Amino acid sequence: MHIILFGPPGVGKGTQSKKLISHYQLKHIAPGNLLRTQIQQQTPLGKKVAQYINVGKLAPAQLVIDIVMQQLTNTTLQQGFLLDGFPRTVMQATQLDTQLARRRQKIDAVIILEVPTEELIKRIQRRATLEGRVDDQEPDKIKTRMHTYQVHTLPVLDYYRSQHSLIRVCGVGDEQQVFTRIVRALTQVKFTT
Ligand code: AMP
């Protein structure tokens, strides 16, 4: 199972990823989590990316691609994986496909979580208090992330649409309800690799 969990900031990708990787025993590839850890540990990489991530901008493309490719390389061919927050640009999506083709693998499904924008903003504001994420803190940063999603990330769906692997799932409701919807949707997918 090689799946992408896709959707705007605050839609619940992190929460659902945790449940999915545990349910299906998948490797979790989430560059955002990894970069946040680097920032907290004040490593050279963390210092480099903080200026982007902390204000809600995308981290430099090549840097993120390198991280994801490294994680893929560390994944055995038998192991399934879930990409959470990657790809976020069409360039990242094409590079991912190239790398997967080298491994004779492909993405089986892209699950798009959907929640109305007003609800997303509320969720991000709630998370700002609960988790203290710097990029959740101010309206300007949230606006930047929403804008980046619209301009750079949504076009990724057009890229995948041509491969007929998109599954839209309603992300409104409690965690378990959304999880059940995703699992149900995944039963319709033909896993070929
Ligand atoms: P996330 O945890 O997925 O919401 O990611 C948090 C932040 O990490 C994003 O706002 C970006 O600054 C950075 N980031 C995560 N994934 C990517 C990506 N695929 N491309 C560029 N930046 C990313």
Side-chain angles (χ1 to χ4, degrees), residues 31-32 36 53 57-59 64 85-86 88 92 133 135:
R36 263 191 301 280
I53 296 189
K57 291 186 184 162
L58 289 183
V64 180
F86 186 93
R88 266 178 153 100
Q92 291 181 355
R133 265 179 68 162
D135 56 348

Side-chain angles (χ1 to χ4, degrees), residues 7-10 13-14 30-36 39 49-50 52-65 68 84-89 92 127 133 135-136 145 148 153:
K13 297 189 294 295
N33 289 355
L34 200 143
L35 292 172
R36 263 191 301 280
I39 293 175
V49 295
Y52 304 95
I53 296 189
N54 288 348
V55 297
K57 291 186 184 162
L58 289 183
Q62 197 54 46
L63 192 146
V64 180
I65 288 168
V68 171
D84 162 11
F86 186 93
R88 266 178 153 100
T89 65
Q92 291 181 355
R127 189 172 64 186
R133 265 179 68 162
D135 56 348
D136 282 342
R145 287 162 66 206
T148 303
T153 308

